Amino acid sequence: MSENVVALAGGVGGAKLALGLSCLLNPEEFTLIVNTGDDDIFHGLYVCPDLDTVMYTLAGLSNTETGWGLSSESFKALSMLNRYGCDTWFNLGDLDLGTHIMRKYLLDKKHNLTEITAYLCQKLGVLCQVLPMTNDTVRTVIKTAGAELSMQQYFVRDKSEPEVLDIKYVGSDTAQPNEEFSNALDRVDKLIFCPSNPFLSIGPILALSGIRDRMMNLKKNNHLRIAVSPIVSGSSVKGPAGKIMHELGYEVSCVTVAELYRDVCDVFVIDVQDEKHCKDIESLGIKPLVAPIIMNSKADKIALAKTLLELEVI
Ligand code: FO1
């Protein structure tokens, strides 16, 4: 039986599960909504790190060591920019720059980010629908003791070292969710929250006007909303989610993530190492599901995707 699956994703962690899901679903059954709060402009080019990470992963082109960028990449253009005195802490490879030049060309021709992403995906052979969360501008701004930083300044330039005091999604109050995202929610059977950072990746998507309410109301209509924990055994599987959670005053635990998604989640998937937290998750009114959720190999990604797709409405 065919079903409509909508998955929300950020960068590397989200892309892993997206790949697993894309191996099991027909392309027309699968829509991916990707965070654009990390987007930024480098050397005059508009860069969408999460969209590109998802797109390259689904196309089988990604650098499997870093999880971002392209495999067999070189950085000659960047070394030239360095000679010209540009800041080159954001590692844009030569092949990757081709994507950003193409995106800039299409933006200048007044195409929106949804159209451009569809074009790039089609050219790279990605068949499922990959959608930016919005065509408007939302920027994740990280307030630290020293300064307010963009996501890439915080994450790449400053290596997630500054203490995080607050996180804002600037523009989210006026940005319109992508119309196709809204349409996908009209026909969704299963909504999946990939194991992406709840503050930096999923947070900006949920902050878009009307989106959290739409997802809260899905419960009433027999849809299944599943979230996969990005926290295993008290620390993030990848990236600074655990560090940020601690600095914002939360306990670093999968239960905290379940609490953050409490109103939009029916089933919360935790790793086998976290089985002891089942009761705490149940007490939030969410059904816990214990499964191996660390995705190293392609087989791991497909196995987790299969577990999620086999879940039935309770
Ligand atoms: N992540 C890094 O840790 N260092 C980089 O230099 C870097 C460059 C980069 C270039 C293009 C791109 O699409 C992604 C890139 N990323 C890099 C990943 C990216 O900054 C993060 O993974 C996401 O923004 C977090 O979701």
Side-chain angles (χ1 to χ4, degrees), residues 173-311:
D173 45 347
T174 51
Q176 286 309 303
N178 191 328
E179 201 184 321
E180 297 183 43
F181 175 12
S182 237
N183 295 341
L185 286 180
D186 283 339
R187 42 173 210 273
V188 66
D189 297 305
K190 235 169 222 168
L191 177 68
I192 296 177
F193 293 72
C194 290
S196 299
N197 188 312
F199 306 105
L200 300 179
S201 300
I202 304 294
I205 305 178
L206 290 179
L208 288 169
S209 101
I211 285 300
R212 197 165 195 130
D213 283 350
R214 288 282 306 274
M215 291 178 180
M216 280 164 66
N217 286 329
L218 285 177
K219 187 180 177 69
K220 297 175 193 137
N221 299 315
N222 262 8
H223 306 281
L224 197 56
R225 304 165 303 173
I226 310 161
V228 181
S229 178
I231 301 285
V232 171
S233 197
S235 60
S236 16
V237 176
K238 201 180 176 302
K243 178 180 176 284
I244 294 175
M245 207 173 268
H246 173 69
E247 289 167 355
L248 292 180
Y250 297 100
E251 189 190 336
V252 186
S253 155
C254 57
V255 183
T256 301
V257 185
E259 238 174 314
L260 292 170
Y261 294 157
R262 185 179 196 165
D263 52 348
V264 288
C265 171
D266 306 306
V267 178
F268 193 73
V269 188
I270 56 174
D271 192 65
V272 285
Q273 299 174 55
D274 284 319
E275 195 164 1
K276 60 177 180 292
H277 293 299
C278 281
K279 275 218 162 70
D280 294 333
I281 291 167
E282 263 166 30
S283 69
L284 296 170
I286 301 173
K287 186 178 172 356
L289 177 78
V290 180
I293 62 170
I294 296 177
M295 294 173 281
N296 291 321
S297 66
K298 189 166 177 183
D300 296 338
K301 294 164 197 163
I302 295 174
L304 178 57
K306 189 164 180 283
T307 302
L308 307 185
L309 295 177
E310 281 172 357
L311 280 169

Side-chain angles (χ1 to χ4, degrees), residues 46-181:
Y46 187 83
V47 180
C48 304
D50 284 359
L51 274 172
D52 291 345
T53 297
V54 166
M55 186 172 74
Y56 294 154
T57 302
L58 295 183
L61 297 171
S62 64
N63 178 330
T64 47
E65 252 168 60
T66 56
W68 52 266
L70 289 142
S71 59
S72 313
E73 186 59 285
S74 53
F75 293 87
K76 291 191 171 142
L78 204 69
S79 68
M80 201 62 184
L81 286 164
N82 192 35
R83 280 184 73 170
Y84 290 130
C86 300
D87 267 342
T88 52
W89 49 263
F90 195 69
N91 292 292
L92 292 168
D94 298 326
L95 298 172
D96 193 24
L97 277 165
T99 299
H100 311 313
I101 291 168
M102 192 64 206
R103 182 181 287 120
K104 165 91 172 105
Y105 172 79
L106 294 169
L107 280 171
D108 287 347
K109 290 209 169 283
K110 304 291 172 222
H111 292 284
N112 65 36
L113 199 54
T114 301
E115 293 162 348
I116 296 168
T117 306
Y119 179 84
L120 299 175
C121 282
Q122 189 235 323
K123 291 294 179 190
L124 297 184
V126 175
L127 300 177
C128 68
Q129 192 177 34
V130 179
L131 296 174
M133 63 182 194
T134 176
N135 287 318
D136 299 330
T137 304
V138 174
R139 288 293 165 268
T140 299
V141 173
I142 297 155
K143 188 171 177 228
T144 68
E148 295 211 332
L149 304 174
S150 72
M151 167 64 193
Q152 301 308 332
Q153 286 172 329
Y154 167 77
F155 187 73
V156 177
R157 190 193 65 189
D158 298 349
K159 303 181 175 53
S160 310
E161 281 164 6
E163 185 186 346
V164 176
L165 305 178
D166 194 14
I167 298 174
K168 289 181 279 192
Y169 312 117
V170 176
S172 63
D173 45 347
T174 51
Q176 286 309 303
N178 191 328
E179 201 184 321
E180 297 183 43
F181 175 12

